[in-house]
């Protein structure tokens, strides 16, 4: 970037992908000025919000401060290789790449190709996600590639694919929400996780029509104050019951859109029968929401639906309901409710999932998911394999089949084969080598102590990152990569809009793009398959590979996207009529992409969380996010303003519960599950339920909440139950021996309050 040149691009973080302009700062930051970029030979950069339909010029605090990660003092600018002394040392690119290639070759020779596993990320551009999948399938020839989207969107995807035949998080532009009379938000805290999006809820709030379901009075739940709507402070893990009761009321009170159900859906009768037993008084006993309140909300949603003359209604799900062992079932019930009210496929109404990661949408479309090929194709579909193999220039039979979903993959890393036991099948040996691209699993994976132990059991761990994340620190080789403002590419936002990421600054000497890394490794591993290093060229190939698939990008190129920021997939090429397809902002208007064109309604029922409260663990733990930190915190903990505003993990606890447990504000609290214990300071707040504590997951160390979350998964989607588990809560230092039969927890001596060493203030 030359001085005075403004580069229009988008935020590096979440799926809202707020538009911003990057410009060289007029003056360099003075030495020692906290967030000021250090001298990595990079120009310092200012960030301005830019007008765009989603953020309308707004940015959140993470967006404003995002540029400081470019010059973070501990940025990795040279490959690192673990030496005989057990430490990571600087190495040349040739040394590092030769070593990675040699170990991949050796591991595959000794244990078979599936022994080399790949873990990707929903923050990768479409080009990188595509190249990663292609690299795994054609160079490593491993089936074992999956990614952190399994933590993030898998249940929403499974529910939407089953019901609609397609999974685009929001099948309509976000701004459409603005015209709605009612919006039901289940387990989504957009006021902290996508702050600029809150402006699109203004219309519903003016109508008193915002309904937020959350066990906490979150910032988003507080948006319902003063007559703006309703907060349903549900018992954790029981949203499915709320939805079943709402469906019950809709049918019982004759509010369903029968004409829509007949014309555009299948399965409605079975669903209607299945909710007959969920009358509101019964539901109240399980979910804790008063029966009258459930009735009122059902009537409010129905009244807002076009059938009853309303201006429109939306039902949206977030991680609070999806990260659950009944996540797919809950999403299915939310879709059933939307269909019963006739919302999907009607302009101004619908169902959507609020996708989370920057490229959480595109990341699930182009081949880094265990069961997928580019274009949202199924890897076990012979026609899909033939199409993609032709684009790659390989024999379709050489492509591996589906691999292990993320949680199962992490569970098996480094583990020996196990013979069949009572009630359990034999398990083959797990992968021996792992390559990580865009995830910090040591902090963000469920039951993370087990994940760390398994990483230790591996023969070889390779991590690509630009900062020494907790996972990178365990690696045998770390390969330093470019950051968002240093690269070209595309991202697909939560709306299915394909946007351009643009290079605004030169990358520091010594770092490479992942596209260059894949090409260099492919060459070293003797692959005849071509790996482009120019993102525009890789995008053109991705577009060809996606042609005819569900997520069809074949009508797109970087050039076209530069000229038109309003393109939503599918955007097929239209060579026969030599016209440009206009893209598809709104899906389902003419039908659902199922074989019969109808949406499928599926009956589901409530089972409850896998790790429900019980005498030795009588309190619910729910987890989530704070505004200032992004995910595992690898990036945002390095931003001085953010680390200062939110320096450490904490335990939100209701004053009534705190008093019962003898816990004062700020006291060190021990939160223990059957997997271990964490310690963090107490934050007393009446926004909590008295039976529930909340912890954010953005930190490593002794307050890292994923040390105690469960790695139980949804049986359909493989998504882990991050949101709810059963814990015991006590003042740290007051040892209560575990009741008999309960696994002993980590000794207290090892649990000191967390003061993350990495925080810079
Ligand atoms: N600040 C910030 N923003 C982010 C991110 C970030 O890390 N930080 N990450 C991005 C990503 S990848 C994602 S996936 C999104 C996530 O965005 P959200 O889904 O909005 O975020 P969470 O905080 O994980 O969860 C939302 C809410 O679920 C509630 N919850 C917990 N258990 C339950 C339950 O049983 N039922 C219900 N109804 N609610 C429950 C929590 O109290 C929380 O308020 O955010 C994106 N934006
Ligand atoms: N308890 C609990 N745990 C959770 C959740 C929860 O709600 N509760 N939410 C889950 C969800 S929804 C998600 S999405 C996950 C996310 O958690 P992670 O998968 O850990 O995601 P990030 O923290 O964004 O990690 C991204 C890492 O990749 C690096 N990186 C960024 N861009 C690139 C790139 O282009 N290439 C490469 N090679 N590296 C890059 C960053 O520096 C960082 O170290 O956490 C999950 N964990
Ligand atoms: S809401 Fe998301 S995309 Fe927008 S500035 Fe904040 S982190 Fe970035
Ligand atoms: Mo996510």
């Amino acid at each position: 970037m030359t001085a005075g040149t403004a580069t229009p691009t988008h935020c590096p973080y979440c799926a809202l992908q707020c538009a911003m302009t990057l410009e060289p700062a007029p003056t360099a930051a003075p030495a020692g000025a906290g967030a000021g970029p250090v001298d990595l030979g990079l120009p310092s950069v200012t960030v301005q919000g830019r007008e765009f339909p989603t953020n309308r010029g707004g940015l959140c605090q993470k967006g404003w401060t995002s540029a400081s990660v470019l010059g973070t003092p501990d940025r990795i600018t040279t490959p690192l290789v673990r030496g005989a002394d057990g430490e990571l040392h600087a190495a040349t690119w040739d040394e590092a790449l030769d070593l990675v290639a040699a170990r991949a070759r050796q591991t595959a020779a000794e244990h078979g190709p599936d022994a080399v596993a790949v873990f990707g990320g929903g923050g990768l551009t479409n080009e990188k996600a595509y190249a990663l999948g292609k690299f795994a399938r054609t160079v490593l020839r491993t089936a074992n590639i999956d990614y952190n989207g399994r933590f993030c969107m898998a249940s929403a995807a499974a529910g939407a694919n089953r019901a609609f035949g397609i999974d685009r998080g929001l099948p309509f532009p976000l701004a459409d929400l603005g015209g709605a009379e009612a919006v039901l938000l289940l387990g989504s805290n957009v006021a902290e996780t996508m702050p600029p999006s809150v402006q699109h809820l203004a219309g519903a709030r003016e109508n008193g029509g915002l309904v937020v379901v959350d066990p906490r009075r979150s910032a988003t739940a507080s948006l319902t104050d003063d007559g703006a709507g309703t907060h349903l402070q549900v018992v954790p893990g029981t949203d499915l019951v709320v939805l079943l009761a709402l469906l019950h009321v809709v049918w019982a009170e004759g509010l369903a859109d029968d004409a829509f159900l007949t014309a555009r859906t299948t399965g409605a009768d079975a669903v209607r029968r299945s909710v007959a037993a969920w009358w509101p008084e019964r539901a109240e006993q399980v979910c804790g929401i008063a029966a009258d309140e459930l009735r009122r909300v059902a009537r409010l949603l129905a009244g807002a639906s076009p059938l009853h003359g309303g201006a429109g209604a939306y039902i949206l799900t977030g991680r609070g309901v999806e990260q659950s062992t009944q996540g797919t079932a809950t999403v299915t019930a939310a879709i059933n409710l939307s269909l019963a009210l006739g919302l999907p496929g009607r302009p101004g109404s619908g169902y959507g999932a609020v996708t989370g990661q920057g490229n959480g949408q595109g990341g699930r479309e182009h081949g880094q998911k265990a069961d997928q090929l580019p274009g949202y194709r199924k890897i076990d579909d012979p026609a899909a394999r033939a199409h993609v193999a032709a684009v790659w220039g390989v024999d379709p039979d050489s492509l591996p089949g589906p691999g292990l979903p993320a949680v199962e993959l992490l569970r098996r890393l480094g583990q020996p084969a196990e013979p069949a036991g009572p009630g359990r099948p034999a398990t083959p040996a797990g992968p021996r080598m792992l390559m990580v691209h865009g995830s910090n699993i040591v902090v963000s994976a469920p039951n993370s102590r087990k994940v760390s132990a398994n990483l230790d059991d591996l023969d070889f761990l390779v991590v690509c990152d630009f900062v020494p994340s907790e996972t990178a620190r365990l690696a045998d080789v770390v390969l330093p990569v470019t950051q968002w403002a240093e690269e070209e590419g595309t991202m697909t936002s939560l709306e299915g809009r394909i946007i351009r990421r643009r290079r605004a600054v030169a990358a520091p000497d010594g770092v490479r793009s992942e596209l260059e890394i894949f090409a260099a490794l492919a060459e070293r591993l003797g692959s005849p398959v071509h790996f482009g290093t120019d993102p525009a060229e890789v995008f053109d190939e991705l577009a060809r590979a996606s042609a005819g698939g569900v997520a069809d990008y074949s009508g797109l190129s970087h050039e076209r996207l530069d000229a038109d920021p309003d393109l939503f997939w599918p955007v097929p090429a239209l060579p026969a009529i030599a016209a440009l397809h206009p893209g598809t902002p709104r899906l389902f208007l003419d039908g659902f992409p199922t074989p019969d064109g109808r949406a499928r309604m599926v009956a589901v029922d409530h089972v409850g969380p896998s790790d429900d409260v019980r005498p030795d663990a009588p309190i619910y733990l729910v987890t989530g996010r704070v505004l200032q930190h992004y995910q595992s915190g690898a990036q945002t903990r390095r931003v001085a303003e953010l680390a200062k505003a939110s320096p450490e993990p904490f335990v939100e606890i209701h004053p009534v519960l705190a008093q019962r447990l003898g816990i004062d504000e700020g006291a060190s609290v021990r939160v223990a599950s059957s997997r271990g214990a964490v310690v963090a300071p107490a934050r007393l707040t009446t926004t909590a339920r008295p039976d529930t504590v909340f912890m954010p997951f953005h930190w490593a160390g002794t307050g890292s909440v994923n040390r105690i979350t469960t790695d139980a998964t949804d049986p359909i989607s493989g998504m882990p139950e991050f949101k709810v588990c059963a814990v015991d809560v006590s003042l740290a230092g007051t040892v209560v021996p575990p009741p008999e039969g309960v696994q002993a927890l980590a000794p207290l001596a090892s649990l000191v309050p967390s003061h993350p060493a990495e925080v810079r203030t």
Side-chain angles (χ1 to χ4, degrees):
M1 183 169 66
T2 50
T5 316
T7 306
T9 188
H10 295 260
C11 177
Y13 300 121
C14 83
L16 193 58
Q17 285 296 293
C18 295
M20 51 170 59
T21 304
L22 301 184
E23 259 189 286
T27 50
V38 293
D39 187 10
L40 282 173
L42 294 168
S44 56
V45 175
T46 63
V47 177
Q48 293 292 325
R50 184 161 62 84
E51 190 55 34
F52 205 68
T54 46
N55 63 314
R56 293 185 180 148
L59 296 176
C60 79
Q61 203 181 357
K62 294 185 297 303
W64 285 116
T65 55
S66 54
S68 72
V69 185
L70 293 168
T72 191
D74 60 353
R75 172 112 194 232
I76 312 172
T77 54
T78 169
L80 303 171
V81 172
R82 197 166 296 280
D85 60 356
E87 301 294 323
L88 285 168
H89 296 284
T92 66
W93 273 97
D94 278 340
E95 285 164 351
L97 291 167
D98 287 349
L99 180 60
V100 173
R103 295 304 296 261
R105 198 192 293 271
Q106 182 193 352
T107 306
E110 286 173 9
H111 306 281
D114 291 347
V116 183
V118 175
F119 200 92
L124 301 179
T125 58
N126 288 317
E127 291 79 356
K128 290 193 269 184
Y130 165 80
L132 182 63
K134 175 181 165 185
F135 176 76
R137 269 71 176 240
T138 65
V139 179
L140 300 175
R141 298 214 180 165
T142 179
N144 284 325
I145 171 170
D146 209 41
Y147 78 123
N148 68 4
R150 190 71 63 176
F151 301 164
C152 182
M153 45 53 68
S155 294
N161 277 322
R162 186 166 66 176
F164 302 133
I166 194 170
D167 156 41
R168 202 182 87 189
L170 297 184
F172 43 77
L174 183 68
D176 281 7
L177 292 181
E181 204 173 307
V183 176
L184 170 61
L185 269 180
L186 295 134
S188 163
N189 185 15
V190 283
E192 291 202 71
T193 54
M194 299 185 181
S197 73
V198 167
Q199 55 195 315
H200 302 290
L201 300 173
R205 292 174 69 202
E206 272 163 31
N207 284 310
L210 178 64
V211 183
V212 177
V213 188
D214 198 308
R216 301 187 299 144
R217 191 163 191 78
S218 63
T220 308
S222 301
L223 295 174
T224 65
D225 287 352
D226 304 323
T230 307
H231 173 208
L232 303 181
Q233 198 162 6
V234 65
V235 172
T238 66
D239 302 83
L240 183 46
V241 171
V242 172
L243 288 162
L244 297 173
L246 294 177
L247 273 161
H248 176 100
V249 176
V250 164
W251 264 302
E253 301 195 358
L255 302 172
D257 190 339
D258 293 323
F260 178 93
L261 288 172
T262 307
R264 301 201 56 184
T265 71
T266 56
D269 282 345
V271 172
R272 184 170 43 76
R273 281 195 301 277
S274 74
V275 298
W278 282 108
W279 58 91
E281 280 73 14
R282 178 179 171 220
E284 176 179 344
Q285 300 304 312
V286 183
C287 70
I289 309 298
D292 285 347
E293 197 75 338
L294 292 167
R295 286 198 181 87
R296 198 174 57 74
V297 167
R299 289 171 199 149
L300 179 126
L301 291 172
S305 73
L307 172 74
H308 299 285
Y314 287 93
I315 298 177
L316 304 177
T317 56
R319 301 311 83 78
V321 298
E322 297 162 9
Q323 290 170 331
S324 155
T325 45
Q326 46 189 19
T328 305
T330 307
V331 165
T332 299
I335 293 173
N336 287 344
L337 178 61
S338 70
L339 290 168
L341 294 173
L343 307 180
R346 281 222 169 110
S349 291
Y351 162 81
V354 188
T355 292
Q357 294 190 80
N359 197 25
Q361 182 64 52
R364 73 218 215 200
E365 299 164 3
H366 299 297
Q368 59 176 333
K369 207 175 169 190
D371 54 356
Q372 262 180 23
L373 290 173
Y376 223 128
R377 289 185 152 91
K378 301 287 289 174
I379 201 167
D380 51 10
D381 169 4
R385 294 168 68 86
H387 174 85
V388 174
V391 175
W392 291 346
V394 299
D395 177 356
D397 291 337
S398 71
L399 297 177
L404 297 170
V407 176
E408 188 60 20
L409 180 70
L410 297 178
R411 233 184 250 145
R412 297 254 197 105
L413 289 179
Q415 304 309 298
E418 276 182 35
R424 121 186 105 67
T427 320
R432 307 286 329 158
M433 171 170 167
L434 178 70
M435 299 182 65
V436 179
H437 297 262
S439 183
N440 186 11
I441 39 183
V442 166
V443 177
S444 59
N447 194 9
S448 59
R449 290 200 316 177
K450 174 77 176 127
V451 172
S452 302
N454 286 5
L455 291 178
D456 278 349
D457 289 341
L458 287 173
D459 297 334
F460 206 65
L461 174 64
V462 183
V463 176
C464 287
D465 210 313
F466 39 77
V467 292
S469 72
E470 285 73 16
T471 308
R473 282 164 199 233
L474 301 181
D476 297 292
V477 172
V478 182
L479 301 176
V481 292
T482 47
Q483 289 194 42
W484 107 109
E486 300 157 355
E487 61 189 24
E488 296 284 332
T490 59
M491 308 280 278
T492 305
S493 78
L494 78 169
E495 316 171 285
R497 181 199 297 268
I498 301 100
I499 57 145
R500 281 279 279 117
R501 167 179 281 194
R502 293 238 183 65
R503 176 159 54 227
V505 291
D509 287 344
V511 315
R512 292 194 183 174
S513 86
E514 259 142 327
L515 297 180
E516 293 171 302
I517 292 171
F518 302 136
L521 287 174
E523 192 192 326
R524 278 170 174 76
L525 288 165
S527 169
V529 177
H530 171 70
F531 280 81
T533 55
D534 169 16
E537 178 202 328
V538 174
F539 186 89
D540 290 345
E541 187 187 306
L542 174 165
R544 285 198 305 282
S546 77
V550 174
D552 191 329
Y553 284 36
S554 59
L556 295 175
S557 63
H558 279 197
E559 204 182 358
R560 182 167 180 208
L561 290 164
D562 281 338
D564 187 351
D566 258 332
L567 290 160
F568 299 71
W569 69 259
V571 197
L574 300 173
I577 52 172
L580 290 179
H581 188 286
T584 318
R586 293 173 191 83
L587 294 169
F588 315 146
L589 296 180
D590 306 319
F592 297 96
T594 53
D596 61 3
R598 292 156 181 255
R600 286 178 285 240
M601 296 178 78
V602 179
V604 288
D605 206 1
H606 177 71
V607 181
S610 64
D611 185 26
D612 212 343
V613 289
R614 50 187 189 267
D616 63 287
I619 295 165
Y620 292 107
L621 167 69
V622 303
T623 69
R625 294 161 162 82
V626 299
L627 192 157
Q628 288 84 6
H629 287 293
Y630 190 65
Q631 318 275 58
S632 72
Q635 289 155 275
T636 49
R637 280 184 273 131
R638 290 179 161 79
V639 178
E641 292 95 315
L642 302 177
K644 194 167 171 212
S646 181
E648 59 183 357
F650 55 87
V651 185
E652 264 183 24
I653 178 165
H654 194 280
V656 168
L657 178 62
Q659 195 190 21
R660 212 181 78 211
L661 300 173
I663 292 168
D664 293 326
E665 173 73 24
S668 273
V669 174
R670 178 176 188 267
V671 182
S673 77
S674 56
R675 293 155 294 277
V678 292
V679 171
R683 268 198 204 168
L684 272 50
T685 168
T686 52
T687 58
R689 285 177 60 97
D691 59 358
T692 303
V693 295
F694 167 82
M695 290 185 74
F697 76 98
H698 310 291
W699 290 269
T702 48
S704 187
V705 75
N706 278 324
R707 292 179 172 208
I708 62 172
T709 51
T710 170
D711 61 1
T713 55
D714 180 286
I716 298 175
S717 69
M719 187 151 174
E721 186 148 64
F722 279 122
K723 276 295 178 276
V724 184
C725 70
V727 292
D728 189 28
V729 178
S730 58
L731 195 60
T734 52
V735 188
V736 186
E740 246 170 271
V742 175
Q743 186 196 331
L745 299 163
L748 270 185
S750 68
L751 296 166
V752 289
S754 164
H755 296 292
E758 281 174 30
V759 170
R760 292 163 210 285
T761 50

